[in-house]
Amino acid sequence: VFEIEPTPAGMLYYGVPAYRLPRDLIAAEVKLIEAMGVEIRCSTEVGKDISFDTLTKDFAAIVIAVGAKRSRELKMEGVLGPGVLGGVDFLRDVALGSPPALGKRVVVIGGGNVAYDVARTSLRQSYFDTARSAARLRDVAQVHLACLESREEMPADDVEVHEGDEEGIARHHRLGPNRILRNDDGKVIGVELKRVLQVFDEAGRFSPIFDDDDRVVLEADTVILAVGQTADLRFVPAEAGVEINERGIMRLDASTLATTNPKVFAAGDVAHGPRLMIDAIASGKKAARSVFHFLTGAQLEITATQMHVPIEGYLREKDYEKRPRAAIPAASVEERLKDPDALVEKGYGATEAQCEAGRCFDCGVNTIFDGAKCVLCGGCVDVCPTLCLKLVPADSLASFEGFAELAEA
Ligand SMILES: Cc1cc2nc3c(=O)[nH]c(=O)nc-3n(C[C@H](O)[C@H](O)[C@H](O)COP(=O)(O)OP(=O)(O)OC[C@H]3O[C@@H](n4cnc5c(N)ncnc54)[C@H](O)[C@@H]3O)c2cc1C
Ligand code: SF4
């Protein structure tokens, strides 16, 4: 794996804030992947430190999985220059430990989950900076979030909006950015927005209409644009035989994820556009099966195994299917803002977890753990009800009597 950044894991590390995804969890997952024999070469940019051409010569097959890490730009007056940042660029700087100075008033443009990650991270940065300088005042940082959509239309998850409201992020709906306002020194002083009359047309297509006569100004020291991400495929030369259209999207065979160059495949956000990590994992597996087929000619089939385990005297609680989902307990706002990395979700306690598990519909579709096919994914460790399984590096067991024969077996 060739990776530009100094740490692997892509957007999970450089996008998803640490208050939602602890870094030690990511490190443990990466360690497992490395333990399977994957070599990860960090701080290596394909197209600069190593050319795509060299990769095609040195490797039998290539999977392009570069994600969508460029913040989408907005063309408007005043947007170029200091004080206007891209959403994922800002999150990356925070993850790298070098957050930019934001000032006290931040306006985030966007209404999705990434906009919330940006808004909540900037709130933590400003609050933490102030906390360090001893003035622990609630209203030190003003973070505003402005989006085209109404509350009902906005794509952000309810939990993000709810927790953002709790933390004091001011929402402004049905407003679209028109121009960035700067003073004579070029410093950002605000953003002018136009009222939105319509976001989607009757067919549900994105088709915003603005009221030119209804404008609002939000004062700001920094404006952060979180209006989407795009892939950067400039490292793929035209002569590589990988067809890329004028919108920067590769032509792919949907069933194999092969590009127009038979030894080059694609996976993740760059293949299907920004989605969830589970989609990226699924497409990574799909591309891996295609690479296996390309290299060996053999097909990896997915098979379903049937196994029935009768449990004597097993009864469900009455009305278990009518119980509503319980919200995951969250830290108080004060606890959250004490440290920018403080985890927001606290997880269920034992009783709540049992109660939630008791809502299971028993569809019967379960993973069957077969040690003979182990790929070290750690799934069995996660679900073992008696916590008797642990995955450890083989060399940490070397001193145990009989280990050598066991390893041999
Ligand atoms: C702010 C944010 C929050 C998110 N939150 C969630 C969430 O809560 N839950 C969820 O399921 N999903 C979330 N997602 C989506 C999820 O992170 C992505 O879908 C997933 O990470 C995509 O995986 P990927 O491997 O395709 O790309 P990425 O994770 O983007 O990884 C691509 C990697 O390629 C590297 N790279 C790029 N170009 C080059 C090059 N030329 N040479 C070498 N390396 C290169 C990049 O540095 C990066 O590490 C979030 C995304 C963002 C941006
Ligand atoms: S036994 Fe199965 S679930 Fe457990 S680590 Fe191996 S592959 Fe994963």
Side-chain angles (χ1 to χ4, degrees):
V1 175
F2 294 89
E3 168 59 53
I4 298 182
E5 304 291 355
T7 308
M11 275 301 169
L12 302 192
Y13 191 95
Y14 291 100
V16 184
Y19 66 82
R20 292 207 289 118
L21 183 57
R23 276 21 192 175
D24 52 348
L25 270 186
I26 302 178
E29 292 290 336
V30 169
K31 226 169 157 186
L32 270 178
I33 291 167
E34 287 178 321
M36 288 184 217
V38 176
E39 183 195 337
I40 306 176
R41 289 191 210 163
C42 287
S43 305
T44 310
E45 178 173 349
V46 176
K48 193 170 139 214
D49 303 307
I50 184 163
S51 72
F52 190 76
D53 190 40
T54 307
L55 291 186
T56 51
K57 289 194 181 105
D58 289 357
F59 292 89
I62 294 170
V63 178
I64 299 179
V66 292
K69 66 181 294 188
R70 258 209 327 209
S71 297
R72 181 164 287 144
E73 292 161 4
L74 282 180
K75 285 192 173 49
M76 62 179 148
E77 185 187 322
V79 78
L80 298 175
V84 179
L85 310 173
V88 286
D89 307 323
F90 164 68
L91 292 171
R92 175 181 174 275
D93 288 344
V94 172
L96 279 170
S98 50
L102 296 175
K104 282 190 181 166
R105 300 161 308 172
V106 178
V107 174
V108 177
I109 306 290
N113 287 327
V114 173
Y116 265 94
D117 281 342
V118 169
R120 296 178 69 187
T121 300
S122 37
L123 187 84
R124 281 158 174 74
Q125 291 305 317
S126 312
Y127 194 79
F128 189 54
D129 279 352
T130 319
R132 271 195 299 206
S133 58
R136 284 175 184 264
L137 297 170
R138 212 30 243 294
D139 58 352
V140 282
Q142 290 173 21
V143 178
H144 296 260
L145 182 140
C147 61
L148 301 177
E149 301 89 354
S150 65
R151 168 69 188 90
E152 295 69 37
E153 292 164 329
M154 74 192 294
D157 291 343
D158 285 347
V159 64
E160 288 293 329
V161 180
H162 172 69
E163 290 178 356
D165 286 356
E166 284 182 333
E167 290 167 13
I169 289 165
R171 277 186 279 120
H172 303 269
H173 293 287
R174 289 235 157 195
L175 289 176
N178 186 46
R179 62 186 174 121
I180 303 291
L181 306 172
R182 294 179 183 272
N183 66 13
D184 292 344
D185 300 330
K187 187 183 172 305
V188 168
I189 51 169
V191 53
E192 183 187 82
L193 304 112
K194 280 190 205 170
R195 187 76 52 198
V196 174
L197 298 172
Q198 165 199 292
V199 186
F200 304 101
D201 64 15
E202 276 151 21
R205 282 179 302 241
F206 182 69
S207 173
I209 298 177
F210 300 95
D211 180 348
D212 279 341
D213 300 326
D214 189 351
R215 298 177 189 211
V216 171
V217 170
L218 292 176
E219 291 179 359
D221 300 304
T222 304
V223 177
I224 312 184
L225 306 177
V227 291
Q229 294 85 242
T230 53
D232 186 352
L233 287 168
R234 285 175 297 182
F235 65 89
V236 183
E239 56 279 10
V242 176
E243 198 180 313
I244 301 172
N245 71 16
E246 65 288 349
R247 286 165 53 221
I249 298 170
M250 282 179 282
R251 198 167 120 205
L252 300 177
D253 177 327
S255 60
T256 61
L257 297 181
T259 67
T260 43
N261 177 333
K263 71 186 286 187
V264 181
F265 300 79
D269 280 0
V270 73
H272 48 54
R275 285 193 201 157
L276 293 177
M277 60 179 92
I278 198 67
D279 297 295
I281 292 167
S283 83
K285 289 188 168 187
K286 192 170 174 180
R289 281 188 210 107
S290 301
V291 169
F292 182 81
H293 176 63
F294 171 70
L295 296 179
T296 65
Q299 203 84 40
L300 279 176
E301 302 291 351
I302 302 174
T303 53
T305 307
Q306 284 205 25
M307 192 167 92
H308 299 276
V309 184
I311 306 174
E312 297 297 328
Y314 177 64
L315 273 180
R316 301 303 307 257
E317 291 161 45
K318 192 167 178 304
D319 290 340
Y320 74 94
E321 78 283 16
K322 293 185 187 150
R323 284 207 302 263
R325 173 185 292 178
I328 299 181
S332 70
V333 172
E334 284 67 32
E335 277 177 277
R336 288 181 217 170
L337 298 184
K338 251 185 226 160
D339 168 356
D341 295 348
L343 258 190
V344 173
E345 281 187 354
K346 293 188 133 183
Y348 294 123
T351 315
E352 291 155 310
Q354 277 165 7
C355 189
E356 280 300 283
R359 297 170 56 235
C360 168
F361 282 143
D362 262 346
C363 65
V365 180
N366 285 308
T367 311
I368 295 174
F369 297 106
D370 179 353
K373 294 181 180 158
C374 179
V375 292
L376 295 176
C377 76
C380 55
V381 180
D382 285 346
V383 300
C384 177
T386 48
L387 302 177
C388 63
L389 299 173
K390 203 171 168 186
L391 282 183
V392 294
D395 50 11
S396 71
L397 298 174
S399 59
F400 282 82
E401 201 183 326
F403 175 73
E405 297 89 79
L406 207 60
E408 186 69 24

